Amino acid sequence: MGLDEIIVTQAIVDRFMEKLKACLKLDVAIVGAGPSGMVAAYYLAKSGHKVAIFERKLSIGGGMWGGGMMFNQIVVQEAGKHILDEFGVRVYPYKEGYFTADAIEATTMICAKACQAGVNIFNCISMEDVVVREGRVCGLVINWSPVETTGLHVDPLTIHAQYLIDATGHHTELIKVIERKADGKLFTPTGKIVGEKSLWAEVAETTTVENTKEAYPGAFVCGMAANACFGSYRMGPIFGGMLLSGKKVAQLIQERLKSET
Ligand code: 48F
């Protein structure tokens, strides 16, 4: 049997459009496919919610691939280990309370399980704006990342979602847009993004989870974006807090969605 290139093209276009059309109205739209965003998406999809992640880069994984300074190993502490276990990532004891995992294995296993739980991941797509109605966010404005990087004058498209998650890491990009454009204040002590402090792993790991919460009506923060938004430290290549934060934001949103039905 010969291969018909046009069928290959049709298959890709049809399947992609099916996937995109299925995601025009979501329960939860997540910006950023780093560790916290992918973990959040997995738990939300596993509990039956319609969830998609929009990731600017071609690759998923954010800062997880690179371990510490491109030494592609990550460290997790006791508290976060069970999440790597749940994703089937092999974890090796190092010293009491410290475990290591291969950064490549961790990134790919988390992503694979998220996809198989029903998460749709759209790579090469950037969030450039939000939809706000009556003081609450209810959608994302997205565009192809190459449009953003080349500065083409092309209008974006819109996705509606009941909840948004900022999982964009250090840059807190979703909340930055909300801070700049939406009426009202953020739920931070200053009403603005407080900003990330320098590195203090022990404190940062705890506050990442504490700061995982709603930052503006309908918009939650997780991972490093949580610490940047509410003003805490960075932590370097220890990932327990990222994983726990992803799980926590999924639980918080699940409770909200449940209370609304
Ligand atoms: O930075 P990132 O890995 O976020 P995270 O889940 O994890 C942080 C750790 O990797 C590490 C750390 C732990 O010690 O501090 O840095 O908080 O992933 C964020 C992802 O969001 C994407 C970005 O490309 C990255 O993959 N992203 C950022 N802004 C946008 C975006 C945007 N406007 N649209 C789409 N994706």
Side-chain angles (χ1 to χ4, degrees):
M1 193 193 80
L3 273 178
D4 185 336
E5 294 91 355
I6 299 307
I7 296 179
V8 174
T9 304
Q10 274 171 343
I12 289 171
V13 173
D14 282 347
R15 291 288 190 252
F16 184 81
M17 288 307 161
E18 279 167 21
K19 176 170 151 171
L20 183 61
K21 281 200 273 188
C23 291
L24 298 183
K25 287 188 178 178
L26 294 164
D27 294 326
V28 187
I30 300 175
V31 186
S36 66
M38 290 197 294
V39 168
Y42 165 79
Y43 284 108
L44 284 161
K46 214 174 133 210
S47 61
H49 298 298
K50 206 162 130 188
V51 45
I53 307 180
F54 299 92
E55 166 56 51
R56 169 182 285 138
K57 293 192 179 147
L58 176 59
S59 71
I60 49 79
M64 199 180 229
W65 296 108
M69 219 180 96
M70 286 196 245
F71 300 158
N72 61 3
Q73 294 286 313
I74 57 164
V75 174
V76 267
Q77 61 279 56
E78 189 74 55
K81 179 183 170 291
H82 70 279
I83 301 185
L84 287 183
D85 292 338
E86 179 162 354
F87 282 97
V89 178
R90 290 171 301 167
V91 173
Y92 303 94
Y94 184 67
K95 290 198 173 176
E96 200 185 337
Y98 295 82
F99 300 86
T100 63
D102 186 272
I104 308 296
E105 179 177 334
T107 307
T108 51
M109 292 293 282
I110 292 171
C111 183
K113 290 261 175 173
C115 291
Q116 290 183 348
V119 176
N120 283 297
I121 301 183
F122 294 91
N123 55 345
C124 300
I125 293 185
S126 296
M127 173 284 309
E128 63 167 58
D129 205 345
V130 291
V131 184
V132 188
R133 294 286 180 275
E134 293 163 7
R136 190 192 187 289
V137 290
C138 55
L140 284 182
V141 178
I142 55 167
N143 214 330
W144 293 114
S145 304
V147 167
E148 180 187 53
T149 47
T150 52
L152 292 178
H153 189 167
V154 178
D155 269 322
L157 293 175
T158 305
I159 301 289
H160 277 182
Q162 295 193 56
Y163 289 95
L164 306 182
I165 301 178
D166 186 334
T168 65
H170 296 272
H171 299 292
T172 333
E173 291 203 21
L174 176 72
I175 300 298
K176 265 190 192 142
V177 172
I178 294 172
E179 180 190 55
R180 198 172 74 241
K181 291 193 164 188
D183 291 335
K185 292 182 176 171
L186 302 179
F187 300 148
T188 59
T190 59
K192 299 255 173 206
I193 293 170
V194 181
E196 178 187 304
K197 299 183 189 169
S198 56
L199 192 144
W200 187 356
E202 188 181 356
V203 176
E205 280 292 283
T206 310
T207 55
T208 302
V209 182
E210 286 168 8
N211 289 331
T212 297
K213 51 190 170 184
E214 197 172 30
Y216 185 81
F220 285 69
V221 282
C222 71
M224 199 54 227
N227 272 356
C229 181
F230 284 93
S232 185
Y233 301 89
R234 65 185 304 190
M235 74 291 295
I238 179 154
F239 280 80
M242 292 298 132
L243 307 172
L244 292 166
S245 167
K247 188 169 183 179
K248 180 181 172 187
V249 77
Q251 280 163 349
L252 293 174
I253 295 177
Q254 275 163 36
E255 282 159 22
R256 292 285 280 279
L257 286 165
K258 207 165 152 195
S259 71
E260 286 161 9
T261 50

